[in-house]
Amino acid sequence: MMLFESTRDASHRVTLATALRGGLAADGGLYVPERLPPAELEGLQGAETLAELALRMLAPFAAGDALEAVLSEAASDAFSFPAPVTDIGSDRLSVLELFHGPTAAFKDFGARFLAAALERLPREPAARFTVLVATSGDTGGAVAAAFHGRPWAQVVVLYPRGLVSARQQQQLACWGNNVRTLSVAGTFDDCQDLVKGAFADPTLVERLGLSSANSINIGRLLPQMVYYAQASLVLAACDRAPPSFIIPTGNLGNALACIWAREMGLPIGDIVLATNANRTVVDYVAAGIWQPRPSVATLASAMDVGNPSNLERLRWLDPERKSLRGRLEAWAVGDEEIRDTIRRDWQELGHAWCPHTATAACLYRRLPAAWRGGRWVIVATAHPAKFDEIVEPLIGEKLPIPDSLAEILARRRIERQIAARPEELHQALLEYR
Ligand SMILES: *Cc1c(COP(=O)(O)O)cnc(C)c1O
């Protein structure tokens, strides 16, 4: 039996199903597994598909829980698209492509697993379940796509009007049916305040069965370990040495999954975190200083996070920063370097990066020569065509659009506009059923 505890109080323990449904612990902490079980490498190596690997990797976390019996189905439902590792250039450099899901970004893995798991957990037939999510761009699209067509759930997505890219807006507003999109006249912070306000209203929470499904839900973190397991096993078998990863980082969810996978014993070498100008994580890793600050807007907007919530999980893992020392680095990359990297790697390698992935590609070039010996993996968090307005002018060409994105772009946009006022959100929520 595996229980999950709050980062703020180890005696506050719940089952996995409760952690998945609840999102945040009642004391405001984040759920973490009471221990990280050692990976059975031989068993994992025998998995033939990503879904099979997910089942084997995640089974210990579901042990004794209601999810255990349906984990196999949930894994097949969620891991229905690949996470290929491709080689690039002539060095021992690879790319882990996490953008083959419905919204062309890595968040599809976590969002789809959470939706697939919740679908199969027992619930009262008449109970309502409403996911309310504020997004600055990518999260809302992934959550909407993951829950769309699952009639037991209602999804309400709030985004700041005019502050997301045209293609992101389309991904937020093209769903309909059980997904409603509210375009808010305000900033991302306004959207988040509206959502927080709704959660602070017990009658609303009760009536709608409000749930957050946001990036701090443990159900989004655990499945992200699976693609690191796959990539590291394949590359370590081929090189006879563990590969190292460079990961574009904002709220630290994606990178934390890699750190946890390494703690479990997967063959992973160094981990380098790439941030944009929002350098809270960089200062923490370098000096142990946790200094949240207001976020600044950058080209890699999905990483514009000034107070990364998952730092709390990192500190839980390694409060003294002992075990991670020398095995975890973090560096910041400015907008000018993002542009230069996109231009240069297009010219020199024929490879187009999204602005987020470009932070990792930039750091690869910045690695000290002594580190370059082994295999490095750049983690590609989104498809560049999703950020065509930024990337195409830099490379001077049109990017081909992946099929999943083309499908979304062809849909009709359905959204409702509201002012950034609690009464308007309230009104919209109550009209939904
Ligand atoms: C969300 C996102 C990130 C940052 O991931 P975190 O888990 O928040 O660190 C990086 N790149 C893209 C494209 C994203 O959507």
Side-chain angles (χ1 to χ4, degrees):
M1 175 101 195
M2 171 78 82
L3 289 176
F4 288 76
E5 63 189 44
S6 164
T7 44
R8 298 192 187 167
D9 176 7
S11 68
H12 175 94
R13 291 189 174 192
V14 300
T15 63
L16 177 57
T18 304
L20 291 178
R21 290 199 196 95
L24 208 62
D27 61 6
L30 276 59
Y31 286 118
V32 286
E34 56 186 346
R35 62 182 185 280
L36 287 173
E40 307 272 353
L41 293 186
E42 268 175 38
L44 297 182
Q45 271 152 352
E48 291 192 348
T49 62
L50 201 54
E52 176 67 31
L53 181 63
L55 173 62
R56 294 182 190 191
M57 182 87 184
L58 301 181
F61 295 96
D65 185 70
L67 190 64
E68 189 171 25
V70 289
L71 182 61
S72 171
E73 271 179 45
S76 303
D77 181 345
F79 287 86
S80 57
F81 50 89
V85 179
T86 54
D87 281 348
I88 175 173
S90 52
D91 294 341
R92 289 207 291 168
L93 177 62
S94 302
V95 181
L96 173 57
E97 297 182 359
L98 300 180
F99 50 68
H100 295 277
T103 68
F106 83 88
K107 292 190 177 73
D108 284 326
F109 284 102
R112 281 180 65 88
F113 182 79
L114 180 60
L118 289 174
E119 177 152 304
R120 289 166 177 85
L121 287 174
R123 47 172 191 274
E124 290 169 39
R128 298 187 58 176
F129 184 86
T130 304
V131 176
L132 182 60
V133 56
T135 187
S136 59
D138 275 354
T139 301
V143 169
F147 283 88
H148 183 242
R150 300 187 195 266
W152 49 272
Q154 299 280 314
V155 177
V156 180
V157 181
L158 280 70
Y159 79 90
R161 178 150 70 247
L163 298 182
V164 304
S165 83
R167 287 186 179 170
Q168 279 179 320
Q169 183 186 3
Q170 178 68 16
Q171 284 185 333
L172 292 167
C174 72
W175 304 104
N177 296 324
N178 63 326
V179 177
R180 320 289 174 131
T181 308
L182 298 176
S183 145
V184 178
T187 62
F188 171 61
D189 289 337
D190 293 329
C191 295
Q192 215 157 21
D193 287 346
L194 286 176
V195 167
K196 280 189 194 147
F199 276 99
D201 178 345
T203 36
L204 209 53
V205 170
E206 177 70 19
R207 249 173 105 172
L208 300 174
L210 281 190
S211 164
S212 70
N214 58 16
S215 62
I216 47 93
N217 193 304
I218 189 78
R220 292 186 45 181
L221 199 55
L222 295 176
Q224 291 170 179
M225 295 193 297
V226 176
Y227 45 74
Y228 289 111
Q230 173 182 257
S232 66
L233 289 170
V234 167
L235 293 172
C238 155
D239 296 340
R240 295 174 184 280
S244 298
F245 291 83
I246 312 179
I247 308 173
T249 296
N251 211 19
L252 204 64
N254 193 11
L256 192 68
C258 187
I259 295 169
W260 281 8
R262 184 173 67 181
E263 290 295 312
M264 289 171 69
L266 269 302
I268 294 171
D270 294 318
I271 298 175
V272 174
L273 312 182
T275 72
N276 57 23
N278 293 279
R279 46 178 301 128
T280 307
V281 171
V282 174
D283 294 340
Y284 176 72
V285 171
I289 301 162
W290 184 2
Q291 178 69 67
R293 52 194 100 183
S295 66
V296 299
T298 75
L299 289 173
S301 55
M303 293 156 49
D304 291 348
V305 182
N307 185 10
S309 0
N310 280 303
L311 260 182
E312 196 162 325
R313 286 187 168 120
L314 189 65
R315 301 209 303 181
W316 164 83
L317 179 70
D318 187 12
E320 314 276 299
R321 293 187 315 122
K322 278 201 188 111
S323 63
L324 293 175
R325 198 161 292 158
R327 308 179 67 213
L328 181 70
E329 300 288 342
W331 290 305
V333 174
D335 273 358
E336 213 35 61
E337 292 172 291
I338 291 177
R339 286 196 195 90
D340 288 345
T341 304
I342 293 175
R343 261 191 230 110
R344 184 159 85 171
D345 284 353
W346 176 253
Q347 277 159 14
E348 293 181 8
L349 303 170
H351 208 91
W353 307 116
C354 89
H356 311 84
T357 310
T359 62
C362 175
L363 289 191
Y364 173 71
R365 305 251 191 185
R366 224 198 266 170
L367 287 178
W371 290 29
R372 288 276 195 102
R375 157 108 34 204
W376 283 86
V377 183
I378 290 170
V379 177
T381 48
H383 193 285
K386 201 168 166 173
F387 302 93
D388 54 319
E389 292 134 317
I390 296 171
V391 180
E392 288 179 351
L394 291 171
I395 65 172
E397 278 183 46
K398 283 260 170 235
L399 289 163
I401 299 176
D403 290 350
S404 57
L405 196 52
E407 210 173 284
I408 282 175
L409 295 180
R411 298 172 84 114
R412 200 161 62 87
R413 196 181 288 173
I414 317 159
E415 64 179 23
R416 168 170 171 170
Q417 304 194 338
I418 64 166
R421 280 204 298 271
E423 317 82 77
E424 295 210 16
L425 173 62
H426 204 107
Q427 177 84 25
L429 286 174
L430 293 181
E431 277 171 21
Y432 281 157
R433 215 194 252 174

